[in-house]
Protein backbone atom coordinates (compact mmCIF):
# COMPACT_ATOMS: atom_id res chain seq x y z
CA UNK A 1 0.00 0.00 0.00
CA UNK A 2 1.09 3.57 -0.58
CA UNK A 3 2.68 5.34 2.37
CA UNK A 4 0.36 6.84 4.93
CA UNK A 5 1.53 10.33 4.08
CA UNK A 6 0.73 9.73 0.40
CA UNK A 7 -2.77 8.48 1.21
CA UNK A 8 -3.31 11.41 3.53
CA UNK A 9 -2.26 13.91 0.86
CA UNK A 10 -4.51 12.31 -1.77
CA UNK A 11 -7.52 12.25 0.52
CA UNK A 12 -7.12 15.90 1.55
CA UNK A 13 -7.36 16.93 -2.11
CA UNK A 14 -10.24 14.52 -2.73
CA UNK A 15 -12.32 15.91 0.16
CA UNK A 16 -12.15 19.40 -1.33
CA UNK A 17 -12.79 18.30 -4.91
CA UNK A 18 -15.75 16.09 -4.02
CA UNK A 19 -17.33 18.72 -1.81
CA UNK A 20 -16.79 21.35 -4.49
CA UNK A 21 -18.96 19.31 -6.86
CA UNK A 22 -21.77 18.63 -4.42
CA UNK A 23 -20.84 14.97 -3.85
CA UNK A 24 -21.16 15.37 -0.12
CA UNK A 25 -21.52 11.72 0.91
CA UNK A 26 -18.36 10.81 -1.00
CA UNK A 27 -16.60 13.80 0.53
CA UNK A 28 -17.65 12.70 4.02
CA UNK A 29 -16.42 9.16 3.36
CA UNK A 30 -13.05 10.46 2.18
CA UNK A 31 -12.76 12.74 5.23
CA UNK A 32 -13.50 9.85 7.57
CA UNK A 33 -10.75 7.76 5.99
CA UNK A 34 -8.41 10.76 6.17
CA UNK A 35 -8.70 11.01 9.93
CA UNK A 36 -8.69 7.20 10.14
CA UNK A 37 -5.07 7.07 8.98
CA UNK A 38 -2.68 6.40 11.82
CA UNK A 39 -0.91 9.57 12.84
CA UNK A 40 2.88 9.79 12.86
CA UNK A 41 3.95 9.60 16.54
CA UNK A 42 6.83 11.96 15.78
CA UNK A 43 4.40 14.69 14.71
CA UNK A 44 1.27 13.96 16.73
CA UNK A 45 0.56 13.14 20.34
CA UNK A 46 -2.62 11.95 22.10
CA UNK A 47 -3.12 15.46 23.43
CA UNK A 48 -3.73 16.97 20.00
CA UNK A 49 -5.62 14.24 18.18
CA UNK A 50 -8.45 12.17 19.58
CA UNK A 51 -7.68 9.33 17.17
CA UNK A 52 -4.50 8.31 18.97
CA UNK A 53 -6.20 5.30 20.57
CA UNK A 54 -3.17 3.06 20.81
CA UNK A 55 -4.94 0.57 23.06
CA UNK A 56 -8.02 0.25 20.89
CA UNK A 57 -9.49 -3.17 21.62
CA UNK A 58 -11.00 -3.36 18.15
CA UNK A 59 -7.75 -2.71 16.34
CA UNK A 60 -5.94 -5.18 18.53
CA UNK A 61 -8.63 -7.81 18.10
CA UNK A 62 -8.71 -7.80 14.31
CA UNK A 63 -5.00 -7.20 13.70
CA UNK A 64 -4.22 -10.89 13.58
CA UNK A 65 -0.76 -10.18 12.22
CA UNK A 66 1.32 -7.10 11.73
CA UNK A 67 0.49 -5.64 8.32
CA UNK A 68 3.13 -3.69 6.44
CA UNK A 69 2.32 -0.32 4.89
CA UNK A 70 4.11 -1.30 1.70
CA UNK A 71 2.44 -3.47 -0.96
CA UNK A 72 2.23 -7.16 -0.30
CA UNK A 73 4.22 -9.48 -2.53
CA UNK A 74 3.10 -9.33 -6.14
CA UNK A 75 1.03 -6.15 -5.66
CA UNK A 76 2.10 -2.83 -7.12
CA UNK A 77 -0.06 0.27 -7.21
CA UNK A 78 -0.33 2.64 -10.14
CA UNK A 79 0.76 6.23 -9.94
CA UNK A 80 -2.00 8.42 -8.55
CA UNK A 81 -3.89 10.11 -11.40
CA UNK A 82 -3.95 13.90 -11.37
CA UNK A 83 -7.06 15.73 -12.53
CA UNK A 84 -6.72 19.26 -13.85
CA UNK A 85 -9.05 21.86 -12.42
CA UNK A 86 -10.53 24.79 -14.33
CA UNK A 87 -11.53 27.30 -11.67
CA UNK A 88 -10.70 30.28 -13.91
CA UNK A 89 -13.02 29.03 -16.65
CA UNK A 90 -15.89 28.43 -14.24
CA UNK A 91 -15.54 31.74 -12.40
CA UNK A 92 -18.24 33.58 -10.44
CA UNK A 93 -21.20 31.95 -12.18
CA UNK A 94 -20.08 28.63 -10.77
CA UNK A 95 -19.92 30.07 -7.24
CA UNK A 96 -23.47 31.42 -7.56
CA UNK A 97 -24.77 28.15 -9.00
CA UNK A 98 -23.04 26.18 -6.28
CA UNK A 99 -24.75 28.35 -3.67
CA UNK A 100 -28.15 27.60 -5.24
CA UNK A 101 -27.21 23.92 -5.41
CA UNK A 102 -26.34 23.83 -1.71
CA UNK A 103 -29.76 25.36 -0.99
CA UNK A 104 -31.39 22.53 -3.01
CA UNK A 105 -32.54 24.96 -5.74
CA UNK A 106 -31.41 22.58 -8.46
CA UNK A 107 -33.24 23.99 -11.46
CA UNK A 108 -32.05 27.47 -10.58
CA UNK A 109 -28.45 26.27 -10.33
CA UNK A 110 -28.68 24.52 -13.71
CA UNK A 111 -30.14 27.65 -15.33
CA UNK A 112 -27.27 29.84 -14.09
CA UNK A 113 -24.74 27.47 -15.72
CA UNK A 114 -26.54 27.08 -19.05
CA UNK A 115 -23.83 28.97 -20.99
CA UNK A 116 -20.77 27.84 -18.99
CA UNK A 117 -18.39 25.38 -20.65
CA UNK A 118 -15.92 24.58 -17.88
CA UNK A 119 -15.89 20.92 -16.84
CA UNK A 120 -16.89 21.71 -13.29
CA UNK A 121 -19.78 23.84 -14.53
CA UNK A 122 -20.96 21.20 -17.00
CA UNK A 123 -20.94 18.55 -14.30
CA UNK A 124 -22.72 20.70 -11.73
CA UNK A 125 -25.38 21.71 -14.28
CA UNK A 126 -26.04 18.10 -15.30
CA UNK A 127 -25.93 16.87 -11.70
CA UNK A 128 -28.36 19.61 -10.64
CA UNK A 129 -30.75 18.56 -13.43
CA UNK A 130 -30.46 14.92 -12.37
CA UNK A 131 -31.24 15.76 -8.73
CA UNK A 132 -34.12 18.01 -9.80
CA UNK A 133 -35.56 15.07 -11.73
CA UNK A 134 -35.11 12.78 -8.73
CA UNK A 135 -36.79 15.30 -6.46
CA UNK A 136 -39.77 15.59 -8.80
CA UNK A 137 -39.99 11.80 -9.11
CA UNK A 138 -40.21 11.46 -5.34
CA UNK A 139 -42.96 14.08 -5.25
CA UNK A 140 -44.94 12.27 -7.94
CA UNK A 141 -44.64 8.97 -6.08
CA UNK A 142 -46.11 10.54 -2.95
CA UNK A 143 -48.84 12.34 -4.89
CA UNK A 144 -49.87 9.30 -6.94
CA UNK A 145 -49.53 6.36 -4.57
CA UNK A 146 -48.81 7.61 -1.08
CA UNK A 147 -45.53 7.38 0.85
CA UNK A 148 -45.42 3.56 0.96
CA UNK A 149 -47.10 2.70 -2.33
CA UNK A 150 -45.66 1.66 -5.66
CA UNK A 151 -45.53 4.10 -8.54
CA UNK A 152 -44.45 4.31 -12.15
CA UNK A 153 -42.91 7.75 -11.68
CA UNK A 154 -39.62 8.29 -13.53
CA UNK A 155 -36.90 10.92 -13.68
CA UNK A 156 -37.86 12.98 -16.74
CA UNK A 157 -34.35 14.43 -17.06
CA UNK A 158 -32.73 11.09 -17.90
CA UNK A 159 -33.29 11.18 -21.67
CA UNK A 160 -31.70 14.59 -22.22
CA UNK A 161 -28.89 13.84 -19.78
CA UNK A 162 -28.07 10.55 -21.49
CA UNK A 163 -27.92 12.27 -24.87
CA UNK A 164 -25.62 15.05 -23.65
CA UNK A 165 -23.31 12.88 -21.54
CA UNK A 166 -23.03 10.25 -24.28
CA UNK A 167 -21.93 12.94 -26.73
CA UNK A 168 -19.36 14.30 -24.29
CA UNK A 169 -17.95 10.80 -23.74
CA UNK A 170 -17.65 10.16 -27.47
CA UNK A 171 -15.88 13.50 -27.93
CA UNK A 172 -13.49 12.76 -25.08
CA UNK A 173 -14.46 15.96 -23.26
CA UNK A 174 -16.12 14.35 -20.25
CA UNK A 175 -14.36 14.27 -16.86
CA UNK A 176 -14.47 11.44 -14.27
CA UNK A 177 -17.37 13.10 -12.45
CA UNK A 178 -19.35 13.33 -15.67
CA UNK A 179 -18.66 9.63 -16.24
CA UNK A 180 -19.99 8.90 -12.76
CA UNK A 181 -23.20 10.82 -13.54
CA UNK A 182 -23.49 9.09 -16.93
CA UNK A 183 -23.21 5.75 -15.14
CA UNK A 184 -26.02 6.75 -12.78
CA UNK A 185 -28.27 7.60 -15.73
CA UNK A 186 -27.47 4.31 -17.48
CA UNK A 187 -28.13 2.33 -14.32
CA UNK A 188 -31.56 3.92 -13.88
CA UNK A 189 -32.41 3.16 -17.51
CA UNK A 190 -31.41 -0.50 -17.05
CA UNK A 191 -28.26 -0.43 -19.20
CA UNK A 192 -26.20 -2.37 -16.67
CA UNK A 193 -23.39 -3.55 -18.97
CA UNK A 194 -22.62 -0.10 -20.35
CA UNK A 195 -23.12 1.35 -16.88
CA UNK A 196 -20.41 -0.93 -15.46
CA UNK A 197 -18.04 0.08 -18.25
CA UNK A 198 -18.63 3.77 -17.61
CA UNK A 199 -18.23 3.44 -13.83
CA UNK A 200 -14.94 1.58 -14.35
CA UNK A 201 -13.72 4.43 -16.58
CA UNK A 202 -14.72 6.91 -13.86
CA UNK A 203 -12.96 5.18 -10.96
CA UNK A 204 -9.85 4.45 -13.04
CA UNK A 205 -9.60 8.16 -13.89
CA UNK A 206 -10.51 9.43 -10.42
CA UNK A 207 -10.37 6.68 -7.77
CA UNK A 208 -11.43 8.72 -4.70
CA UNK A 209 -15.13 9.10 -5.56
CA UNK A 210 -16.61 6.48 -3.22
CA UNK A 211 -20.07 7.10 -4.68
CA UNK A 212 -18.86 5.77 -8.04
CA UNK A 213 -17.41 2.66 -6.40
CA UNK A 214 -20.68 2.08 -4.55
CA UNK A 215 -22.75 2.32 -7.73
CA UNK A 216 -20.32 0.00 -9.52
CA UNK A 217 -20.66 -2.48 -6.67
CA UNK A 218 -24.47 -2.47 -7.01
CA UNK A 219 -24.04 -3.68 -10.60
CA UNK A 220 -21.71 -6.54 -9.58
CA UNK A 221 -24.28 -9.17 -8.65
CA UNK A 222 -21.97 -12.18 -9.09
CA UNK A 223 -18.33 -13.02 -8.43
CA UNK A 224 -17.78 -13.58 -12.15
CA UNK A 225 -18.91 -10.03 -12.94
CA UNK A 226 -16.68 -8.67 -10.18
CA UNK A 227 -13.65 -10.56 -11.46
CA UNK A 228 -14.25 -9.37 -15.03
CA UNK A 229 -13.80 -5.68 -14.13
CA UNK A 230 -10.67 -4.07 -15.58
CA UNK A 231 -9.76 -1.95 -12.55
CA UNK A 232 -6.48 -0.15 -12.00
CA UNK A 233 -4.49 -1.29 -8.99
CA UNK A 234 -5.08 1.64 -6.64
CA UNK A 235 -5.51 1.39 -2.88
CA UNK A 236 -9.16 2.48 -3.26
CA UNK A 237 -9.71 -0.80 -5.11
CA UNK A 238 -9.03 -2.62 -1.83
CA UNK A 239 -11.88 -0.72 -0.17
CA UNK A 240 -14.13 -1.59 -3.11
CA UNK A 241 -13.27 -5.29 -3.09
CA UNK A 242 -13.74 -5.54 0.67
CA UNK A 243 -17.20 -4.02 0.38
CA UNK A 244 -18.11 -6.05 -2.72
CA UNK A 245 -17.04 -9.30 -1.07
CA UNK A 246 -19.31 -8.48 1.83
CA UNK A 247 -22.31 -7.89 -0.44
CA UNK A 248 -21.56 -11.16 -2.24
CA UNK A 249 -21.54 -12.95 1.14
CA UNK A 250 -17.81 -13.72 0.94
CA UNK A 251 -17.39 -12.66 4.54
CA UNK A 252 -14.01 -14.22 5.27
CA UNK A 253 -12.49 -12.64 2.15
CA UNK A 254 -14.01 -9.32 3.17
CA UNK A 255 -12.55 -9.55 6.68
CA UNK A 256 -9.14 -10.34 5.21
CA UNK A 257 -9.26 -7.21 3.03
CA UNK A 258 -10.31 -4.98 5.91
CA UNK A 259 -7.55 -6.39 8.11
CA UNK A 260 -5.09 -5.50 5.38
CA UNK A 261 -6.47 -1.95 5.14
CA UNK A 262 -6.05 -1.55 8.90
CA UNK A 263 -2.33 -1.42 8.19
CA UNK A 264 -2.82 2.17 7.00
CA UNK A 265 -6.30 3.14 8.20
CA UNK A 266 -5.88 1.75 11.69
CA UNK A 267 -8.28 4.22 13.29
CA UNK A 268 -11.03 4.26 10.67
CA UNK A 269 -14.48 3.99 12.23
CA UNK A 270 -15.78 3.01 8.79
CA UNK A 271 -13.54 -0.07 8.62
CA UNK A 272 -14.46 -1.06 12.15
CA UNK A 273 -18.17 -0.79 11.27
CA UNK A 274 -17.64 -2.93 8.17
CA UNK A 275 -15.85 -5.55 10.24
CA UNK A 276 -18.87 -5.53 12.55
CA UNK A 277 -21.17 -6.10 9.55
CA UNK A 278 -19.16 -9.11 8.44
CA UNK A 279 -19.16 -10.54 11.96
CA UNK A 280 -22.91 -9.90 12.16
CA UNK A 281 -23.42 -11.97 9.02
CA UNK A 282 -21.35 -14.71 10.66
CA UNK A 283 -23.59 -14.38 13.77
CA UNK A 284 -20.66 -13.50 16.05
CA UNK A 285 -22.89 -11.26 18.15
CA UNK A 286 -20.56 -10.83 21.12
CA UNK A 287 -17.80 -9.46 18.89
CA UNK A 288 -20.25 -7.21 17.04
CA UNK A 289 -21.52 -5.79 20.32
CA UNK A 290 -17.96 -5.04 21.47
CA UNK A 291 -17.16 -3.21 18.23
CA UNK A 292 -20.26 -1.03 18.35
CA UNK A 293 -19.67 -0.17 21.99
CA UNK A 294 -16.20 1.05 21.03
CA UNK A 295 -17.59 2.98 18.06
CA UNK A 296 -20.10 4.79 20.27
CA UNK A 297 -17.39 5.69 22.75
CA UNK A 298 -15.32 7.25 19.98
CA UNK A 299 -18.24 8.77 18.05
CA UNK A 300 -21.17 9.23 20.48
CA UNK A 301 -23.43 10.95 17.93
CA UNK A 302 -23.07 8.26 15.28
CA UNK A 303 -26.38 7.01 13.83
CA UNK A 304 -25.37 5.13 10.68
CA UNK A 305 -25.08 1.36 11.12
CA UNK A 306 -26.51 1.60 14.64
CA UNK A 307 -29.67 -0.19 13.52
CA UNK A 308 -27.51 -3.30 13.13
CA UNK A 309 -26.31 -2.82 16.70
CA UNK A 310 -29.95 -2.66 17.79
CA UNK A 311 -30.61 -5.96 15.99
CA UNK A 312 -27.83 -7.56 18.03
CA UNK A 313 -29.19 -6.15 21.29
CA UNK A 314 -32.66 -7.35 20.29
CA UNK A 315 -31.39 -10.88 19.57
CA UNK A 316 -29.56 -10.96 22.92
CA UNK A 317 -32.62 -9.44 24.69
CA UNK A 318 -30.54 -6.63 26.21
CA UNK A 319 -33.46 -4.44 27.31
CA UNK A 320 -31.50 -1.73 29.12
CA UNK A 321 -28.82 -1.38 26.43
CA UNK A 322 -31.42 -1.18 23.64
CA UNK A 323 -33.43 1.37 25.64
CA UNK A 324 -30.30 3.50 26.11
CA UNK A 325 -29.44 3.27 22.41
CA UNK A 326 -32.99 4.21 21.37
CA UNK A 327 -32.92 7.24 23.67
CA UNK A 328 -29.50 8.29 22.37
CA UNK A 329 -30.44 8.22 18.66
CA UNK A 330 -33.79 9.88 19.41
CA UNK A 331 -31.96 12.82 21.00
CA UNK A 332 -29.36 12.89 18.21
CA UNK A 333 -31.58 12.70 15.11
CA UNK A 334 -34.97 11.09 15.48
CA UNK A 335 -35.89 11.59 11.80
CA UNK A 336 -33.30 9.21 10.39
CA UNK A 337 -34.42 5.82 9.06
CA UNK A 338 -31.83 4.14 11.29
CA UNK A 339 -33.21 5.92 14.36
CA UNK A 340 -36.76 4.87 13.57
CA UNK A 341 -35.68 1.24 13.13
CA UNK A 342 -33.85 1.28 16.46
CA UNK A 343 -36.90 2.65 18.24
CA UNK A 344 -39.07 0.11 16.42
CA UNK A 345 -36.81 -2.69 17.68
CA UNK A 346 -37.10 -1.30 21.20
CA UNK A 347 -40.90 -1.42 21.14
CA UNK A 348 -40.83 -4.86 19.54
CA UNK A 349 -38.66 -6.23 22.35
CA UNK A 350 -41.19 -4.84 24.83
CA UNK A 351 -43.96 -6.67 22.95
CA UNK A 352 -45.61 -3.43 21.71
CA UNK A 353 -45.85 -4.55 18.10
CA UNK A 354 -48.35 -1.90 16.97
CA UNK A 355 -46.04 0.89 18.14
CA UNK A 356 -43.13 -0.87 16.52
CA UNK A 357 -44.92 -0.90 13.15
CA UNK A 358 -45.56 2.85 13.49
CA UNK A 359 -41.81 3.53 13.65
CA UNK A 360 -40.95 1.15 10.82
CA UNK A 361 -43.53 2.94 8.67
CA UNK A 362 -41.93 6.24 9.65
CA UNK A 363 -38.54 4.90 8.53
CA UNK A 364 -40.06 4.02 5.16
CA UNK A 365 -41.54 7.49 4.78
CA UNK A 366 -38.01 8.81 5.14
CA UNK A 367 -36.53 6.19 2.79
CA UNK A 368 -38.91 3.94 0.88
CA UNK A 369 -36.02 1.66 -0.16
CA UNK A 370 -34.81 1.00 3.39
CA UNK A 371 -34.75 -2.81 3.31
CA UNK A 372 -34.30 -3.34 7.04
CA UNK A 373 -37.52 -1.46 7.76
CA UNK A 374 -39.53 -3.56 5.30
CA UNK A 375 -38.12 -6.80 6.69
CA UNK A 376 -38.52 -5.84 10.35
CA UNK A 377 -42.05 -4.61 9.72
CA UNK A 378 -42.80 -8.00 8.15
CA UNK A 379 -41.56 -9.67 11.34
CA UNK A 380 -43.91 -7.50 13.39
CA UNK A 381 -46.89 -8.40 11.23
CA UNK A 382 -46.00 -12.07 11.72
CA UNK A 383 -46.06 -11.50 15.49
CA UNK A 384 -49.45 -9.78 15.13
CA UNK A 385 -50.74 -12.76 13.04
CA UNK A 386 -51.38 -10.36 10.14
CA UNK A 387 -49.97 -12.72 7.52
CA UNK A 388 -51.12 -10.87 4.35
CA UNK A 389 -49.47 -7.66 5.52
CA UNK A 390 -46.31 -9.58 6.43
CA UNK A 391 -46.15 -11.15 2.96
CA UNK A 392 -46.57 -7.73 1.33
CA UNK A 393 -43.75 -6.24 3.45
CA UNK A 394 -41.39 -9.11 2.69
CA UNK A 395 -42.19 -8.93 -1.02
CA UNK A 396 -41.37 -5.22 -1.05
CA UNK A 397 -38.01 -6.05 0.55
CA UNK A 398 -37.09 -8.67 -2.07
CA UNK A 399 -38.23 -6.34 -4.85
CA UNK A 400 -35.64 -3.83 -3.63
CA UNK A 401 -32.90 -6.39 -2.99
CA UNK A 402 -33.39 -9.95 -4.29
CA UNK A 403 -30.25 -10.96 -2.36
CA UNK A 404 -31.76 -10.21 1.05
CA UNK A 405 -32.03 -13.68 2.57
CA UNK A 406 -33.94 -12.39 5.62
CA UNK A 407 -36.90 -11.33 3.49
CA UNK A 408 -37.01 -14.68 1.68
CA UNK A 409 -36.88 -16.42 5.05
CA UNK A 410 -39.71 -14.21 6.29
CA UNK A 411 -41.83 -15.17 3.29
CA UNK A 412 -41.19 -18.81 4.09
CA UNK A 413 -42.30 -18.28 7.69
CA UNK A 414 -45.44 -16.47 6.57
CA UNK A 415 -46.52 -19.25 4.21
CA UNK A 416 -45.66 -21.84 6.86
CA UNK A 417 -48.05 -20.06 9.22
CA UNK A 418 -50.75 -20.27 6.54
CA UNK A 419 -50.26 -24.04 6.31
CA UNK A 420 -48.72 -23.93 2.83
CA UNK A 421 -45.46 -25.91 3.20
CA UNK A 422 -44.79 -26.17 -0.56
CA UNK A 423 -44.65 -22.39 -0.88
CA UNK A 424 -42.75 -22.06 2.39
CA UNK A 425 -40.17 -24.60 1.22
CA UNK A 426 -39.64 -22.64 -2.01
CA UNK A 427 -38.78 -19.46 -0.10
CA UNK A 428 -36.68 -21.24 2.52
CA UNK A 429 -34.61 -22.75 -0.32
CA UNK A 430 -33.99 -19.26 -1.72
CA UNK A 431 -32.86 -17.97 1.66
CA UNK A 432 -30.58 -20.98 2.26
CA UNK A 433 -29.01 -20.51 -1.17
CA UNK A 434 -28.17 -16.90 -0.28
CA UNK A 435 -26.98 -17.69 3.27
CA UNK A 436 -25.83 -21.32 3.23
CA UNK A 437 -24.02 -21.13 6.59
CA UNK A 438 -27.08 -20.15 8.65
CA UNK A 439 -28.37 -23.20 10.53
CA UNK A 440 -31.81 -21.63 11.12
CA UNK A 441 -32.59 -21.73 7.41
CA UNK A 442 -31.76 -25.43 7.08
CA UNK A 443 -33.81 -26.21 10.17
CA UNK A 444 -36.78 -24.33 8.69
CA UNK A 445 -36.48 -26.35 5.47
CA UNK A 446 -36.26 -29.60 7.44
CA UNK A 447 -39.38 -28.76 9.41
CA UNK A 448 -41.24 -28.19 6.13
CA UNK A 449 -40.18 -31.61 4.90
CA UNK A 450 -41.48 -33.10 8.18
CA UNK A 451 -45.01 -31.69 7.77
CA UNK A 452 -47.91 -34.07 7.20
CA UNK A 453 -48.39 -32.74 3.64
CA UNK A 454 -44.82 -33.63 2.61
CA UNK A 455 -43.40 -36.30 4.97
CA UNK A 456 -40.09 -36.31 3.09
CA UNK A 457 -38.05 -37.48 6.06
CA UNK A 458 -34.89 -38.37 4.14
CA UNK A 459 -34.74 -34.81 2.82
CA UNK A 460 -35.39 -33.50 6.32
CA UNK A 461 -32.43 -35.52 7.61
CA UNK A 462 -30.16 -33.98 4.95
CA UNK A 463 -31.24 -30.48 6.00
CA UNK A 464 -30.71 -31.19 9.70
CA UNK A 465 -27.23 -32.54 8.88
CA UNK A 466 -26.43 -29.26 7.10
CA UNK A 467 -27.73 -27.35 10.10
CA UNK A 468 -25.61 -29.39 12.50
CA UNK A 469 -22.53 -28.59 10.41
CA UNK A 470 -23.38 -24.86 10.47
CA UNK A 471 -22.94 -24.34 14.22
CA UNK A 472 -26.55 -24.86 15.28
CA UNK A 473 -26.66 -22.57 18.32
CA UNK A 474 -30.20 -23.56 19.30
CA UNK A 475 -29.18 -27.25 19.46
CA UNK A 476 -32.22 -28.33 17.45
CA UNK A 477 -30.60 -30.29 14.64
CA UNK A 478 -28.87 -33.05 16.64
CA UNK A 479 -31.99 -33.87 18.64
CA UNK A 480 -34.18 -33.95 15.54
CA UNK A 481 -31.68 -36.13 13.68
CA UNK A 482 -31.76 -38.61 16.54
CA UNK A 483 -35.57 -38.68 16.60
CA UNK A 484 -35.90 -39.08 12.82
CA UNK A 485 -33.38 -41.91 12.64
CA UNK A 486 -35.19 -43.65 15.51
CA UNK A 487 -38.51 -43.19 13.71
CA UNK A 488 -37.08 -44.60 10.47
CA UNK A 489 -35.65 -47.65 12.23
CA UNK A 490 -31.99 -46.67 12.18
CA UNK A 491 -30.99 -47.39 15.81
CA UNK A 492 -27.23 -47.05 15.35
CA UNK A 493 -27.52 -43.62 13.71
CA UNK A 494 -30.08 -42.54 16.30
CA UNK A 495 -27.74 -43.57 19.14
CA UNK A 496 -24.86 -41.63 17.57
CA UNK A 497 -26.89 -38.41 17.40
CA UNK A 498 -28.44 -38.88 20.86
CA UNK A 499 -24.91 -39.31 22.24
CA UNK A 500 -23.69 -36.17 20.43
CA UNK A 501 -26.70 -34.22 21.66
CA UNK A 502 -26.11 -35.46 25.22
CA UNK A 503 -22.45 -34.44 25.11
CA UNK A 504 -23.43 -31.00 23.89
CA UNK A 505 -26.03 -30.56 26.63
CA UNK A 506 -23.48 -31.63 29.24
CA UNK A 507 -20.85 -29.20 27.93
CA UNK A 508 -23.41 -26.37 27.99
CA UNK A 509 -24.78 -27.50 31.38
CA UNK A 510 -28.32 -27.67 30.04
CA UNK A 511 -31.09 -29.84 31.52
CA UNK A 512 -34.54 -30.62 30.23
CA UNK A 513 -36.74 -33.18 28.50
CA UNK A 514 -34.26 -33.62 25.64
CA UNK A 515 -31.64 -34.91 28.08
CA UNK A 516 -34.11 -37.36 29.63
CA UNK A 517 -35.11 -38.59 26.18
CA UNK A 518 -31.47 -39.09 25.16
CA UNK A 519 -30.60 -40.97 28.37
CA UNK A 520 -33.62 -43.24 28.05
CA UNK A 521 -32.97 -44.07 24.39
CA UNK A 522 -29.28 -44.79 25.00
CA UNK A 523 -30.08 -46.98 28.01
CA UNK A 524 -32.50 -49.08 25.95
CA UNK A 525 -30.16 -49.16 22.94
CA UNK A 526 -27.13 -50.43 24.86
CA UNK A 527 -29.31 -52.96 26.73
CA UNK A 528 -30.51 -54.31 23.38
CA UNK A 529 -26.88 -54.49 22.25
CA UNK A 530 -26.05 -56.40 25.49
CA UNK A 531 -23.56 -53.71 26.43
CA UNK A 532 -24.81 -53.74 30.00
CA UNK A 533 -22.11 -51.63 31.62
CA UNK A 534 -22.85 -48.69 29.32
CA UNK A 535 -26.58 -49.21 29.72
CA UNK A 536 -26.12 -49.15 33.52
CA UNK A 537 -24.46 -45.71 33.31
CA UNK A 538 -27.45 -44.17 31.56
CA UNK A 539 -29.99 -45.97 33.77
CA UNK A 540 -28.21 -44.73 36.89
CA UNK A 541 -28.38 -41.16 35.64
CA UNK A 542 -32.11 -41.55 34.99
CA UNK A 543 -32.64 -42.46 38.66
CA UNK A 544 -31.92 -38.83 39.51
CA UNK A 545 -35.16 -37.77 37.79
CA UNK A 546 -38.72 -38.07 38.99
CA UNK A 547 -41.51 -39.42 36.86
CA UNK A 548 -42.04 -42.47 34.67
CA UNK A 549 -38.46 -42.48 33.30
CA UNK A 550 -37.17 -43.30 36.81
CA UNK A 551 -39.37 -46.38 37.02
CA UNK A 552 -38.36 -47.37 33.50
CA UNK A 553 -34.70 -47.18 34.52
CA UNK A 554 -35.37 -49.40 37.58
CA UNK A 555 -37.13 -51.93 35.39
CA UNK A 556 -34.23 -51.99 32.91
CA UNK A 557 -31.74 -52.55 35.71
CA UNK A 558 -33.77 -55.50 37.09
CA UNK A 559 -33.98 -57.11 33.67
CA UNK A 560 -30.25 -56.67 33.02
CA UNK A 561 -29.42 -58.18 36.47
CA UNK A 562 -31.51 -61.21 35.86
CA UNK A 563 -30.25 -61.63 32.29
CA UNK A 564 -26.54 -61.33 33.01
CA UNK A 565 -25.34 -63.26 36.03
CA UNK A 566 -22.01 -61.44 35.90
CA UNK A 567 -23.75 -58.08 36.17
CA UNK A 568 -22.58 -56.28 39.37
CA UNK A 569 -24.74 -56.97 42.38
CA UNK A 570 -27.13 -54.19 43.21
CA UNK A 571 -30.39 -53.76 45.05
CA UNK A 572 -32.53 -51.52 42.85
CA UNK A 573 -35.19 -51.38 45.57
CA UNK A 574 -32.81 -49.39 47.76
CA UNK A 575 -31.93 -46.65 45.28
CA UNK A 576 -32.66 -43.21 46.71
CA UNK A 577 -36.32 -42.24 46.34
Amino acid sequence: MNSKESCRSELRIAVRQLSDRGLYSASKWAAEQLVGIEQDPAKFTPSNTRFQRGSSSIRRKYRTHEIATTPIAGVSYIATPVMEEDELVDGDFYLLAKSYFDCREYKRAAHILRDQNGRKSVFLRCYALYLAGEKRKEEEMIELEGPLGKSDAVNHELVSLERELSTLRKNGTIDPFGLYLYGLVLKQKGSDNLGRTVFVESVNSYPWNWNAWTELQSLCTTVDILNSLNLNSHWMKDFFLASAYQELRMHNESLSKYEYLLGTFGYSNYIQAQIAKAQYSLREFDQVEAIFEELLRNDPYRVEDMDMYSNVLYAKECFSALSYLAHRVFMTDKYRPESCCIIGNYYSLKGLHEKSVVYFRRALKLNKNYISAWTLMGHEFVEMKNTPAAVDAYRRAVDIDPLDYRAWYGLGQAYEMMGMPFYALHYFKKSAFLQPNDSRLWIAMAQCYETDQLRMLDEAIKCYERAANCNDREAIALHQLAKLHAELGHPEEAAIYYRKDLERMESEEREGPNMVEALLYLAKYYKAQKRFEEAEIYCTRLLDYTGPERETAKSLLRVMRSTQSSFPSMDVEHFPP
Side-chain angles (χ1 to χ4, degrees), residues 522-540 542 552-570 572:
L522 291 169
K524 291 179 178 179
Y525 171 77
Y526 286 118
K527 172 185 171 293
Q529 298 291 315
K530 301 187 183 307
R531 296 163 62 178
F532 297 130
E533 291 185 5
E534 292 169 87
E536 177 198 357
I537 294 172
Y538 295 111
C539 287
T540 305
L542 282 169
T552 302
K554 283 185 177 183
S555 176
L556 290 172
L557 287 169
R558 289 193 189 96
V559 171
M560 287 188 290
R561 184 179 59 178
S562 62
T563 302
Q564 187 74 4
S565 59
S566 62
F567 199 70
S569 177
M570 62 181 69
V572 296

Side-chain angles (χ1 to χ4, degrees), residues 154-169:
V154 296
N155 186 334
H156 298 292
E157 302 291 341
L158 295 182
V159 176
S160 60
L161 284 172
E162 182 183 18
R163 188 184 308 116
E164 179 176 358
L165 294 169
S166 176
T167 302
L168 291 173
R169 179 170 175 258

Side-chain angles (χ1 to χ4, degrees), residues 348-360:
S348 177
L349 192 58
K350 291 187 67 178
L352 302 174
H353 302 297
E354 292 82 1
K355 272 194 172 183
S356 181
V357 167
V358 168
Y359 278 94
F360 292 136

Side-chain angles (χ1 to χ4, degrees), residues 194-214:
L194 182 56
R196 275 192 293 270
T197 301
V198 171
F199 281 129
V200 168
E201 291 177 13
S202 177
V203 297
N204 282 343
S205 302
Y206 187 84
W208 304 283
N209 182 4
W210 184 242
N211 287 1
W213 289 106
T214 303

Side-chain angles (χ1 to χ4, degrees), residues 464-517:
Y464 281 129
E465 287 174 348
R466 288 292 299 268
N469 293 330
C470 293
N471 190 18
D472 174 26
R473 296 172 185 272
E474 288 78 18
I476 296 173
L478 289 175
H479 182 71
Q480 291 300 116
L481 281 167
K483 289 183 66 174
L484 285 176
H485 279 296
E487 183 178 342
L488 292 172
H490 305 151
E492 291 183 8
E493 291 85 350
I496 290 171
Y497 285 111
Y498 271 125
R499 194 163 55 245
K500 287 182 178 180
D501 193 30
L502 188 61
E503 290 170 358
R504 176 165 183 160
M505 286 185 283
E506 290 170 347
S507 66
E508 296 176 359
E509 298 181 351
R510 288 193 292 115
E511 296 281 347
N514 286 3
M515 179 170 282
V516 174
E517 182 180 332

Side-chain angles (χ1 to χ4, degrees), residues 410-429:
L411 281 168
Q413 283 186 310
Y415 280 103
E416 189 177 38
M417 286 177 59
M418 292 189 287
M420 303 169 72
F422 285 99
Y423 285 95
L425 186 61
H426 170 73
Y427 293 117
F428 286 141
K429 283 182 177 179

Side-chain angles (χ1 to χ4, degrees), residues 221 249 371 397-405 407-408 430 434:
T221 53
R249 302 175 304 283
I371 298 174
V398 297
D399 285 345
I400 297 167
D401 183 6
L403 300 180
D404 183 11
Y405 81 94
W408 291 115
K430 281 184 171 289
L434 294 169

